[in-house]
Amino acid sequence: MLIPDLVGNGEPFISLEFFPPRNEEAMPVFLDTVQRLSRLKPLFAAVTSGAGGDGATGTLQTAQDLCEKQGLTVMPHMTCVRNDPSSIAAQVREMRSCGIRNVLAVRGDFPDGMASAPEGLRHASDLVQRVHEADESLCVGVAAYPDTHPESSSVDQDIEYLRLKFEAGADFAVTQLFFDNRKYFDMVERLAAKGCTKLVIPSVLPIRSLGQVRRLMSLCSTPIPGKLLAALETAHAKGGEQAVREVGADYAATQVRGLVDAGAPGVHLYPFNRAGLCLDVVERAGLMPN
Ligand code: FAD
């Protein structure tokens, strides 16, 4: 059940990222979406924690539901900014009592009015250490940035901090979304040159609308290739959002296929709590499990 151990047989895998449904009423639709996506036989399901600064809670409960009701291996996210160092051990105990064995430790982004992370939890590496102090058998993932984290002054500095997260005890990494596969392989090579060969799972976002692209670019500052943006805008002008979705699906399928063909172990996809587009992308990429 530890994520790196599940990646064993060389078959490329798909993993999925969800955010907790807004309320109890939204849960049945959410579980139905997850059920539809189970055709992909995801290696694991990640559940975000307040991503985008919306303050949403319910990460652990959602992860527990996915584990118990859908039989999925789950990976709840934990952030520095939404945690007090003293509460981490209790959370880790709660995870273990629900059978959760994997967690993604990220710093998070500071909500308005919060100048810095809580004392003792300035960086994701601090959280990795605290989680391991609480339970060293828990498998801890961290975030990686093929396009470099926006606060980093250079690619080298960013890679060095990623290496430090591994040194602090991280077992694997999941990347930020990116659109240029060369950036991912370059990052993996740079890490290997520093002696770090742990699992790094690339993330792909299938684009469904122009509005989504703009929102995401402002949130995570991933550059979008000019040609892709132009193709999306042209599609929108000619055929509206349906045509944008078509371009997005094609681009994501080509990107996914390119990643696994060039040796990536699998791909982490963002369904945004909807099933259709990701199913379509995996089908087009020729990776739909039998
Ligand atoms: P860190 O690793 O702490 O890095 C932050 C910055 O500090 C970087 O510039 C880094 O180079 C630098 N740095 C790192 N270590 C050190 C050090 N020891 N000394 C000095 N500088 C250092 N956000 C959410 O709020 N909720 C989520 O659920 C969530 N899920 C995510 C999942 C993935 C796969 C990814 C890629 C991101 C996710 N995020 C989420 C966003 C993330 O919280 C932000 O990108 C945040 O700005 C950085 O988080 P981090 O864990 O990479 O931080």
Side-chain angles (χ1 to χ4, degrees), residues 17 47-53 59 75-82 104-110 122-126 142-145 148-154 157-159 161-162 164-165 173-177 201 203 219-220 268 270:
E17 181 153 318
V47 184
T48 62
S49 170
T59 302
M75 180 184 73
H77 296 190
M78 267 177 107
T79 68
C80 296
V81 299
R82 286 186 170 73
L104 189 83
V106 293
R107 187 195 66 184
D109 291 310
F110 309 121
R122 295 192 81 75
H123 290 292
S125 49
D126 302 325
V142 288
Y145 300 85
T148 307
H149 187 267
E151 290 165 36
S152 290
S153 60
S154 69
Q157 191 202 52
D158 207 47
I159 298 281
Y161 286 134
L162 177 55
L164 284 175
K165 289 197 269 194
V174 183
T175 76
Q176 182 60 280
L177 65 96
I201 305 174
S203 291
L219 278 178
C220 70
H268 191 63
Y270 296 89

Side-chain angles (χ1 to χ4, degrees), residues 84-222:
D84 175 322
S86 62
S87 65
I88 290 169
Q91 283 187 57
V92 166
R93 270 198 303 280
E94 201 182 341
M95 283 182 203
R96 285 307 302 264
S97 71
C98 320
I100 292 170
R101 304 288 309 280
N102 302 280
V103 63
L104 189 83
V106 293
R107 187 195 66 184
D109 291 310
F110 309 121
D112 289 347
M114 185 176 178
S116 65
E119 195 56 42
L121 284 181
R122 295 192 81 75
H123 290 292
S125 49
D126 302 325
L127 185 55
V128 173
Q129 270 168 359
R130 300 269 177 164
V131 169
H132 271 305
E133 276 162 24
D135 184 341
E136 63 180 9
S137 72
L138 213 62
C139 185
V140 186
V142 288
Y145 300 85
D147 284 302
T148 307
H149 187 267
E151 290 165 36
S152 290
S153 60
S154 69
V155 179
D156 285 343
Q157 191 202 52
D158 207 47
I159 298 281
E160 179 54 17
Y161 286 134
L162 177 55
R163 192 191 67 75
L164 284 175
K165 289 197 269 194
F166 283 120
E167 201 173 273
D171 300 287
F172 66 101
V174 183
T175 76
Q176 182 60 280
L177 65 96
F178 60 93
F179 293 105
D180 180 350
N181 288 356
R182 285 171 306 178
K183 300 277 186 68
Y184 165 76
F185 290 111
D186 181 54
M187 190 183 72
V188 170
E189 265 175 37
R190 282 168 182 266
L191 274 174
K194 286 175 175 276
C196 184
T197 54
K198 287 189 179 170
L199 173 69
V200 181
I201 305 174
S203 291
V204 168
L205 168 79
I207 293 172
R208 69 175 69 246
S209 73
L210 270 186
Q212 178 202 34
V213 172
R214 292 191 186 113
R215 268 194 311 281
L216 278 163
M217 297 311 109
S218 71
L219 278 178
C220 70
S221 73
T222 298

